[in-house]
Amino acid sequence: MAGGNAIRGTRVGAGPMGESERGETAPRSRISYFCSNGHVTTPSFASEADIPDSWDCPRCGLPAGRDGENPPAPPRTEPYKTHLAYVKERRSDADGAAILEEALGRLRASREL
């Protein structure tokens, strides 16, 4: 005996849906991008959209350009810097020694009380 639910087994968007129900699709153009690892990516853009000069390669993450003969070079990664390295960029050794001496003087003065 069949159940009384007539819409069993269907879900939203499950039926046949063509351009007549959705409307006409926007005109598109496919642009090829090439990364330095030799990967080719071809995303599609709306024909009236501004086409970017570079695109991130979905396979390796490197930047990809539209010129297949001269793909963009991989970005140069900067090594990790510690807090001390940033401080040394801002202050000379003489400044650091003066600040240290001042802090030690305050610490010694507070201990004498």
Side-chain angles (χ1 to χ4, degrees):
M1 180 165 191
N5 193 350
I7 59 171
R8 172 180 277 166
T10 62
R11 65 182 189 276
V12 175
M17 194 176 223
E19 286 186 5
S20 61
E21 292 180 26
R22 275 194 306 245
E24 210 171 296
T25 58
R28 302 214 166 256
S29 59
R30 295 183 63 81
I31 307 295
S32 295
Y33 290 91
F34 307 90
C35 75
S36 60
N37 284 341
H39 303 137
V40 179
T41 305
T42 312
S44 63
F45 297 95
S47 60
E48 67 268 1
D50 293 331
I51 307 299
D53 291 331
S54 65
W55 193 261
D56 289 338
C57 177
R59 293 184 65 194
C60 63
L62 293 176
R66 293 167 63 182
D67 184 8
E69 298 298 320
N70 299 313
R76 187 176 183 282
T77 56
E78 294 292 325
Y80 174 77
K81 283 187 182 178
T82 63
H83 177 69
L84 181 60
Y86 283 109
V87 170
K88 285 184 175 181
E89 283 181 359
R90 292 192 313 262
R91 303 202 193 283
S92 67
D93 289 340
D95 290 342
I99 292 170
L100 177 62
E101 203 51 50
E102 179 184 331
L104 288 175
R106 281 188 302 218
L107 183 62
R108 288 181 186 130
S110 68
R111 286 188 175 177
E112 290 176 1
L113 293 177

